[in-house]
Amino acid sequence: MNIRSILLVSALVLTFKPAAAQNDKPQTYICEKPYEVEKITPPQGKKVRNVILMIGDGMSLMHVYSAWTANHGRLWLENAQFTGLSKTYCTDRLITDSGAGGTALATGHKTRYHAVGVDPDGKPLTTLCDVAKSLGKDAGIAVTCRLWDATPADFCCHNSDRDNEQEITADYADCGIDYAFGGGAKYFTKRKDGRDIFEELRQNGYHISRSWEDLSAWKKGKVFAVPYEVDTPLPDERGDLLARAALKGISLMNQNANGFFMMIEGSQLDDYGHFNQLDMLMKETLDFDRTVGEVMKWAAQDGETLVVVTADHETGGLTLIDGDKEEGKITCRFSTGSHSGVMVPVYAFGPGSENFTGIMENTDIFWKIKSLMERR
């Protein structure tokens, strides 16, 4: 082996990081801006016209309880009328990823690790967005990650490997949804195949929005809002962007007399679980909870909207080892820089929420939502 090869091998050894926690020392977080939480009176009717599925990527009960403690013992999530637990394993691994975990939620079928919207053989599956469109409803998504990331792609695209990012982005041209908000503009235009996916979307009747100001002024019709080249900014920079994007999509799609289905994801919880950064993880979790609050308040006023909140898997192996809810202080430790295999929570609010109790497969969530949307 020559000296160049020896140096290369040495560099790889030094930079390699295993799936174990990047920082297994205890970390402390104090919530500097705790927020008030109100009790929301749920609607009394039984009709489900709209369904909003909210996914905290990588969010476990430990994330929720840590955020609850940091926010002085209160979360909007506690307005959920019914709760359950979801098993997240996929067909070829006990520990899933957002591709397979999200596909199970989006399609009702378990699939292989890293697959997006397809079965284990690579065949495209029908998603909740497809079901909504077949019923004459609108369908949309709002996320804080790039649209070609796994979870949003699970609901709109079909590929055997989530890493085929440019192929996945191309699927949006014919996905048929009515509203999309997220990052990832890079691969809509800067592509190896020379295609301009934004232009193809325009030809398919979409308005392309490249800024929040433009989107906020849009009043009616199909829209793809992709203001960012990759992910949206960090929580301290973006403020309540996810809540605003969610409510904008709701206001547009609610113009359909038949109703709508919407998937909203707190995407970057997963990133900071992987990075083992407690402070950023809690900021993302609390941002997601505030978005849950805005959505639940809207749903309570509407009276015919079911809100389901869950996760695709857990990330980081988070453990709350100490804290004080009066101070908004938590001390936690991570056990992995990857995903873990714990069950994740399911919260439900509004008509039909009684169906989401007990221990269930992640695929059950699709079938329960589909049944409720089809009920006349």
Side-chain angles (χ1 to χ4, degrees):
M1 181 179 292
N2 59 35
I3 187 65
R4 183 177 179 183
S5 299
I6 293 171
L7 290 172
L8 178 60
V9 171
S10 300
L12 290 171
V13 170
L14 289 171
T15 57
F16 175 72
K17 292 183 179 180
Q22 309 299 307
N23 181 2
D24 60 358
K25 295 179 180 179
Q27 299 178 41
T28 298
Y29 170 78
I30 299 175
C31 183
E32 297 178 354
K33 297 178 180 179
Y35 52 88
E36 295 296 324
V37 170
E38 304 166 14
K39 179 65 177 177
I40 304 173
T41 302
Q44 300 303 307
K46 299 295 183 183
K47 182 179 179 182
V48 178
R49 176 173 170 266
N50 312 309
V51 177
I52 301 173
L53 174 61
M54 304 186 70
I55 299 173
D57 196 328
M59 185 183 74
S60 72
L61 285 170
M62 194 62 70
H63 294 71
V64 173
Y65 196 58
S66 298
W68 175 87
T69 306
N71 198 47
H72 297 259
R74 57 196 177 216
L75 286 179
W76 288 102
L77 265 172
E78 290 188 296
N79 281 290
Q81 298 160 266
F82 295 90
T83 59
L85 292 170
S86 167
K87 294 179 282 188
T88 63
Y89 65 93
C90 57
T91 58
D92 56 346
R93 298 194 188 188
L94 180 65
I95 313 302
T96 194
D97 78 310
S98 295
T103 295
L105 297 171
T107 72
H109 295 276
K110 288 185 183 287
T111 190
R112 291 182 294 101
Y113 190 83
H114 260 225
V116 169
V118 297
D119 69 12
D121 296 322
K123 296 177 182 177
L125 293 165
T126 299
T127 73
L128 283 169
C129 290
D130 298 326
V131 172
K133 295 301 294 181
S134 72
L135 296 171
K137 299 178 182 290
D138 274 15
I141 59 174
V143 299
T144 56
C145 63
R146 52 217 172 273
L147 288 170
W148 30 269
D149 204 2
T151 307
D154 291 326
F155 287 80
C156 301
C157 310
H158 309 280
N159 202 286
S160 294
D161 190 345
R162 60 180 290 181
D163 289 338
N164 293 328
E165 296 165 342
Q166 294 195 29
E167 293 178 16
I168 287 168
T169 304
D171 278 358
Y172 279 108
D174 299 305
C175 68
I177 63 173
D178 300 275
Y179 178 82
F181 179 91
K186 180 171 80 169
Y187 286 149
F188 281 78
T189 55
K190 300 171 184 176
R191 303 176 52 82
K192 295 177 181 178
D193 59 14
R195 293 170 64 181
D196 184 334
I197 306 303
F198 283 144
E199 181 57 35
E200 293 181 30
L201 284 163
R202 285 190 189 94
Q203 293 174 8
N204 286 336
Y206 289 90
H207 173 67
I208 305 302
S209 184
R210 298 302 309 278
S211 70
W212 172 256
E213 291 72 23
D214 181 80
L215 176 62
S216 62
W218 185 249
K219 301 301 182 184
K220 186 176 182 179
K222 301 191 299 183
V223 58
F224 254 75
V226 195
Y228 308 99
E229 284 294 288
V230 189
D231 295 328
T232 63
L234 301 179
D236 290 343
E237 300 171 33
R238 69 174 187 256
D240 63 346
L241 178 65
L242 181 59
R244 285 183 282 130
L247 292 175
K248 183 63 178 181
I250 288 169
S251 70
L252 289 170
M253 294 189 292
N254 196 46
Q255 297 174 40
N256 185 332
N258 295 318
F260 65 85
F261 166 80
M262 187 175 195
M263 188 281 289
I264 301 166
E265 184 191 32
S267 314
Q268 296 184 46
L269 280 79
D270 180 65
D271 294 333
Y272 297 107
H274 281 295
F275 301 154
N276 292 172
Q277 289 182 240
L278 181 63
D279 57 342
M280 293 302 297
L281 176 59
M282 285 298 102
K283 288 179 179 181
E284 289 286 352
T285 306
L286 293 168
D287 175 62
F288 182 64
D289 179 65
R290 289 191 294 269
T291 303
V292 168
E294 292 301 312
V295 170
M296 283 186 173
K297 285 188 288 184
W298 186 92
Q301 290 294 316
D302 176 72
E304 297 180 343
T305 299
L306 167 67
V307 181
V308 179
V309 186
T310 189
D312 45 2
H313 55 73
E314 193 276 347
T315 305
L318 185 70
T319 303
L320 177 65
I321 58 176
D322 199 2
D324 186 327
K325 70 181 180 67
E326 303 307 320
E327 295 182 43
K329 177 181 179 180
I330 58 172
T331 301
C332 298
R333 179 181 281 119
F334 294 92
S335 65
T336 180
S338 188
H339 302 163
S340 75
V342 301
M343 287 190 287
V344 296
V346 182
Y347 303 90
F349 175 87
S353 56
E354 67 277 5
N355 292 277
F356 295 86
T357 61
I359 298 173
M360 66 194 81
E361 298 286 350
N362 52 7
T363 52
D364 293 341
I365 294 171
F366 168 92
W367 297 107
K368 292 173 188 290
I369 289 175
K370 182 175 183 290
S371 175
L372 290 165
M373 284 202 298
E374 291 174 340
R375 188 179 299 171
R376 299 296 183 183

